[in-house]
Amino acid sequence: MVKETDSLREAVLRALKGVVGTYGIAVIDAQRPGEIVVARNGSPIVLGLGEKEMFAASDVAALIRYTRQVVHLEDGELAVIKADGFNTFTSDARETAKEPFTVDWDAGHYDNGGYEHYLLKEISEQPDTVARTLRGRIDDRFHIAHLGGLNMDARETRSFRRVKIIGCGSAYYSGQMGAQLIEELARIPADAEPASEFRYRSPVVEPDTLYVAISQSGETYDTLAAVQELKRKGGRVLGIVNTVGSAIARETDGGIYLHAGPEVSVASTKAFTSTAVAFALLALHLGRVRDLSPADGRRICEGLRRLPEQIKEILTLEDRIKELAKKYADSPGMMFVGRVRGYPVAREGAQKLKEISYVHAEAYPASELKHGPLALISPELPTVAIVPDDELLDKNLTTLGEIRARHGRILMVGHRTSEAADDCIVVPKNEVELDPILLTIPLQLFAYHAAVALERDVDRPRNLAKSVTVE
């Protein structure tokens, strides 16, 4: 029961004893307008420190125009904020000490830069964002990735026998791409799983498994809850996040910051690509500590360095991709197929198309077509086929033949043209392990221009949020 004699702090503490569930709240008393009490449990709360003024928000993006000095609250933590300062404490009234840190973004990062949509701006920024993700992390002497933020020495790194990756949505698909890279380069069994499923199935947490949690915002609730479950069971967890000081960055044992800059559009593009690059760096690091040869290490390092310029080259294809997007935008749905390295690319391509254009899109492994999905093939349902120029090229071309035999239309994304496809988007070739990163870029442009052709709200698609901070 809240008493009239309670201070605002005491009143909020008393009231919260009867509150169950996730919340991020701010409370103000009309009789005491000089202070605000904020409280967090699950949903993020960020304090901003200004000159004789204080701010509270759920995301750093809301504060950046006013201050770059911020403080993140932990779950179960509250704060009293006044114009001249703040103090923080726990739900059982124990005082806590919080050190502010400086956000390395500024208000200019949140301008659309003259682009029609933030999404197109963020797609176009990828040569620079990938270069930032790579900067200072490639060691030419030993042909290894320098990742000091992992907080693991070589002996500990070699002790892991399995890698488990968790994330939600596009982060999960980048995790699938990362698992493939880790298995190929480091020869460690690796797989990815939706964090939203992982946290509910009472996972077996093994001491020789390295867990990697992915979240652009670092506040994705399902992923954060999975990290907390892993930590409770003694798991070693790394984070791959884009936001310094975020909840997942604080909860994990170490990790990799993307340095991709803020993403405003709900659909993730540059953060997805930078996450895939971060996984390539992690795979290179794990591989060289284990048994990846110096020659292969050099080959991957050189391939990583080529990525920014190759992404620029792909972006010059925008007019061609725009024409193709208009051609296919009126389809009732689209199927995306890929094999092994191409399957995560297909999944992310389908995700982008469905979330911003609202065109129904599904992705399948190309090898699974004959086990059911082939029944859907018709002239009305086009197929986007991911066909890298690798050891599976002939098998992929055979798949195209099966689709054509059933009068299906095909848009092929790969490293060459093919008479089996109705239309082709040809991207530059890198090392086979890194090609999936480049194959994703044209699918982002395709989804964007399809959404524009259909007059969708590209940056704020219906029913979706940028940061999913609730269950």
Side-chain angles (χ1 to χ4, degrees):
M1 177 71 69
V2 177
K3 303 175 182 178
E4 289 188 13
T5 56
D6 285 342
S7 68
L8 183 58
R9 167 180 165 148
E10 292 168 338
V12 172
L13 283 171
R14 284 177 180 271
L16 287 181
K17 290 179 179 179
V19 177
V20 177
T22 300
Y23 56 79
I25 59 173
V27 183
I28 189 168
D29 182 350
Q31 303 302 316
R32 305 162 182 146
E35 65 179 16
I36 300 173
V37 176
V38 295
R40 166 185 177 148
N41 187 43
S43 293
I45 293 286
V46 188
L47 308 182
L49 286 64
E51 289 289 334
K52 296 183 179 180
E53 58 183 353
M54 289 286 299
F55 306 88
S58 61
D59 193 290
V60 172
L63 303 175
I64 207 70
R65 294 184 183 279
Y66 309 102
T67 178
R68 293 173 63 189
Q69 293 289 306
V70 301
V71 168
H72 289 268
L73 296 190
E74 307 288 347
D75 279 348
E77 199 169 25
L78 300 87
V80 175
I81 60 174
K82 300 179 181 180
D84 58 354
F86 71 98
N87 70 287
T88 57
F89 49 96
T90 63
S91 55
D92 57 3
R94 289 184 295 107
E95 301 295 322
T96 59
K98 309 291 289 188
E99 288 294 328
F101 70 91
T102 303
V103 179
D104 60 358
W105 303 336
D106 58 39
H109 285 100
Y110 291 91
D111 294 330
N112 65 8
Y115 287 88
E116 185 177 358
H117 299 99
Y118 281 100
L119 184 58
L120 183 59
K121 172 180 180 278
E122 288 156 10
I123 292 172
S124 301
E125 287 175 339
Q126 288 177 110
D128 293 331
T129 56
V130 167
R132 283 203 301 272
T133 302
L134 292 172
R135 188 168 297 137
R137 287 172 165 165
I138 296 177
D139 184 329
D140 287 316
R141 181 181 178 188
F142 296 107
H143 311 299
I144 193 172
H146 178 67
L147 299 172
L150 299 184
N151 299 327
M152 297 190 304
D153 60 24
R155 185 183 298 274
E156 187 176 9
T157 300
R158 287 185 60 85
S159 69
F160 294 111
R161 293 291 175 265
R162 183 177 299 276
V163 177
K164 184 76 174 182
I165 302 167
I166 55 174
C168 296
S170 288
Y172 163 48
Y173 302 141
S174 70
Q176 286 192 309
M177 202 176 287
Q180 178 75 29
L181 281 160
I182 289 168
E183 287 206 343
E184 285 196 277
L185 296 179
R187 305 307 299 158
I188 306 174
D191 69 302
E193 182 177 348
S196 50
E197 293 291 315
F198 179 86
R199 59 177 291 225
Y200 283 118
R201 65 172 182 80
S202 188
V204 176
V205 178
E206 300 169 309
D208 59 355
T209 297
L210 177 64
Y211 297 89
V212 184
I214 322 160
S215 169
Q216 187 275 138
S217 67
E219 301 285 352
T220 307
Y221 185 79
D222 284 316
T223 307
L224 177 59
V227 169
Q228 291 168 339
E229 176 72 0
L230 284 166
K231 297 294 290 180
R232 187 182 68 80
K233 292 184 174 181
R236 179 62 184 256
V237 190
L238 301 179
I240 296 181
V241 300
N242 194 35
T243 307
V244 176
S246 57
I248 291 173
R250 298 194 306 273
E251 289 273 358
T252 50
D253 299 293
I256 304 171
Y257 283 118
L258 300 179
H259 302 300
E263 259 190 350
V264 176
S265 186
V266 167
S268 181
T269 50
K270 65 180 183 178
F272 174 90
T273 306
S274 286
T275 301
V277 172
F279 269 117
L281 289 167
L282 178 60
L284 173 64
H285 179 83
L286 294 174
R288 289 290 292 123
V289 168
R290 297 168 71 88
D291 59 4
L292 186 71
S293 71
D296 279 330
R298 182 187 299 110
R299 177 175 62 83
I300 297 301
C301 288
E302 291 172 352
L304 286 168
R305 282 202 174 92
R306 292 198 300 271
L307 287 174
E309 287 302 318
Q310 289 181 312
I311 293 172
K312 281 184 184 179
E313 188 177 339
I314 294 170
L315 294 176
T316 65
L317 304 175
E318 183 179 354
D319 289 343
R320 164 68 174 158
I321 295 170
K322 180 178 180 180
E323 292 176 5
L324 292 171
K326 288 180 178 179
K327 176 179 176 179
Y328 289 96
D330 290 330
S331 303
M334 295 191 76
M335 186 182 293
F336 287 69
V337 298
R339 191 182 297 265
V340 186
R341 299 183 192 95
Y343 180 48
V345 178
R347 297 197 76 179
E348 172 61 10
Q351 173 88 344
K352 282 293 155 285
L353 186 64
K354 73 178 75 171
E355 67 183 339
I356 62 173
S357 75
Y358 317 150
V359 173
H360 180 74
E362 292 296 332
Y364 293 95
S367 56
E368 282 289 297
L369 275 182
K370 63 179 68 68
H371 298 289
L374 208 56
L376 297 173
I377 297 298
S378 72
E380 291 74 36
L381 185 74
T383 298
V384 178
I386 312 304
V387 186
D389 196 354
D390 59 13
E391 72 278 6
L392 299 172
L393 177 62
D394 289 341
K395 289 188 178 297
N396 279 319
L397 293 177
T398 298
T399 299
L400 300 191
E402 291 176 350
I403 296 170
R404 284 298 294 269
R406 290 156 180 84
H407 309 291
R409 291 188 294 157
I410 300 170
L411 169 59
M412 182 178 117
V413 181
H415 300 118
R416 61 175 73 186
T417 60
S418 171
E419 294 180 356
D422 296 272
D423 297 289
C424 298
I425 300 173
V426 179
V427 303
K429 181 161 178 53
N430 200 297
E431 304 301 323
V432 291
E433 298 92 343
L434 302 178
D435 280 333
I437 297 171
L438 297 172
L439 291 166
T440 304
I441 309 299
L443 300 181
Q444 296 173 350
L445 287 169
F446 181 83
Y448 169 76
H449 285 292
V452 171
L454 294 169
E455 300 182 348
R456 307 304 191 207
D457 189 344
V458 174
D459 288 325
R460 293 175 294 276
R462 66 190 183 197
N463 307 329
L464 300 178
K466 181 59 178 172
S467 297
V468 183
T469 57
V470 295
E471 289 190 83

